[in-house]
């Protein structure tokens, strides 16, 4: 199991989902609010749902 930099992942997801929210996908605003309150495990699950490669956020 890899260790993930959840702070960097959270920032990435907030930017990723925030961009969608402000480009005509109002439902993404709900995701943005959820992401702010997710723990590390939930963030990883959400990233996988969105197709984000978690290897980008591995801590060595």
């Amino acid at each position: 199991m890899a260790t993930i930099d959840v702070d960097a992942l959270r920032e990435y997801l907030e930017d990723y989902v925030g961009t969608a929210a402000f480009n005509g996908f109002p439902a993404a605003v709900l995701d943005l609010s959820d992401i702010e309150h997710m723990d590390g495990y939930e963030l990883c699950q959400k990233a996988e749902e969105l197709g984000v490669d978690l290897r980008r956020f591995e801590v060595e």
Side-chain angles (χ1 to χ4, degrees), residues 12-40:
Y12 177 83
L13 290 178
E14 287 174 346
D15 184 53
Y16 184 84
V17 174
T19 300
F22 294 108
N23 281 314
F25 296 99
V29 172
L30 298 174
D31 281 341
L32 186 57
S33 176
D34 290 342
I35 287 168
E36 292 174 354
H37 299 94
M38 289 180 176
D39 63 26

Side-chain angles (χ1 to χ4, degrees), residues 4-58:
I4 302 295
D5 181 348
V6 292
D7 293 328
L9 178 58
R10 185 182 316 277
E11 285 181 31
Y12 177 83
L13 290 178
E14 287 174 346
D15 184 53
Y16 184 84
V17 174
T19 300
F22 294 108
N23 281 314
F25 296 99
V29 172
L30 298 174
D31 281 341
L32 186 57
S33 176
D34 290 342
I35 287 168
E36 292 174 354
H37 299 94
M38 289 180 176
D39 63 26
Y41 181 77
E42 293 169 323
L43 281 172
C44 289
Q45 284 183 319
K46 185 66 174 179
E48 288 178 337
E49 289 173 13
L50 294 172
V52 175
D53 184 3
L54 291 176
R55 291 179 291 188
R56 295 176 54 187
F57 302 96
E58 283 184 18

